[in-house]
Amino acid sequence: MLPILACSVVALAFTIERCWALRRSRVVPKHLVAQVWHLVKSNTLEPTQLRELRAGSPLGRMLAAGLVNIQYGREIVLESIEDRGRHEAHGLERYLNTLGTIAAVSPLLGLLGTVIGMIKVFSSISSAGLGNVTALAGGISQALFTTAAGLVVAIPTLMAYRYFRGKVETLVVDLEQESLKLVEVIHARRGQAGNAESQP
């Protein structure tokens, strides 16, 4: 029961942490792309603002990675954003493998406790016989209790794991879409500027 109890505490702590860390307002802040575009358009983007972008959110770090290489062209900007995006996706998946492992291991720990308990019950039967049926029933119920405890830990942990997996996938797609918006707007603006310069 002690390992199962430890698993339940760890799973609860990681679930609360992921609920806080994977809030959409924290990962993909609203209107951030518009704010950055305004700075780029007005040529007021400074190194201090880039540092604030990196410190603010995963989306800010992806945008900052692209803006640092904005002078090298669209393909380099996209590669920089994609590379940063892979790092951010890895960060969003933090602790999820641990939750998945707890969901898989908890029932096995419960089963192990039950098997050990049943071995003790049958050992007592072989040594003392079937004289005390009440004691035997109590021993069997205690042995089965660990399996129930393992399932009680595993079921909500598995649900949390699957929920966070889906949420991370959605957030990663949102990060890519928001980053591409800025790239496309900047590229379109440069294209318009180029066309204006080429006209007599």
Side-chain angles (χ1 to χ4, degrees):
M1 283 299 296
L2 288 178
I4 294 174
L5 181 60
C7 285
S8 68
V9 172
V10 172
L12 180 61
F14 286 168
T15 299
I16 294 172
E17 190 277 339
R18 286 294 85 188
C19 283
W20 176 261
L22 295 179
R23 290 172 298 142
R24 181 179 171 80
S25 60
R26 181 185 176 278
V27 178
V28 190
K30 200 173 182 180
H31 306 309
L32 181 62
V33 173
Q35 294 169 5
V36 172
W37 165 238
H38 176 72
L39 293 174
V40 173
K41 186 178 180 181
S42 59
N43 294 320
T44 57
L45 187 64
E46 299 177 355
T48 54
Q49 292 166 325
L50 281 175
R51 285 196 293 271
E52 290 175 1
L53 266 179
R54 291 191 186 99
S57 65
L59 177 59
R61 287 188 283 275
M62 290 176 67
L63 296 178
L67 292 171
V68 166
N69 299 296
I70 197 170
Q71 69 272 19
Y72 299 116
R74 184 174 184 272
E75 295 301 322
I76 300 299
V77 171
L78 284 175
E79 288 179 9
S80 302
I81 288 175
E82 289 172 359
D83 183 59
R84 184 71 246 177
R86 284 190 288 270
H87 287 83
E88 295 304 324
H90 181 72
L92 294 176
E93 293 174 352
R94 186 182 182 192
Y95 301 136
L96 294 192
N97 284 337
T98 304
L99 283 176
T101 301
I102 290 173
V105 167
S106 295
L108 297 179
L109 290 173
L111 182 61
L112 176 62
T114 297
V115 170
I116 293 173
M118 295 301 290
I119 290 172
K120 290 180 179 179
V121 168
F122 285 112
S123 296
S124 65
I125 290 175
S126 63
S127 61
L130 292 171
N132 192 344
V133 178
T134 303
L136 291 176
I140 293 173
S141 66
Q142 288 179 359
L144 293 174
F145 183 74
T146 56
T147 296
L151 291 173
V152 166
V153 173
I155 291 171
T157 303
L158 180 60
M159 292 172 65
Y161 170 76
R162 297 301 301 171
Y163 169 74
F164 289 134
R165 273 286 178 197
K167 190 165 188 178
V168 165
E169 291 174 4
T170 302
L171 288 173
V172 168
V173 172
D174 291 342
L175 286 171
E176 292 174 355
Q177 290 177 344
E178 292 294 312
S179 301
L180 287 176
K181 283 181 186 178
L182 182 64
V183 174
E184 295 302 329
V185 170
I186 292 173
H187 179 68
R189 183 194 179 201
R190 286 188 167 183
Q192 291 173 359
N195 291 335
E197 290 176 0
S198 63
Q199 290 178 356

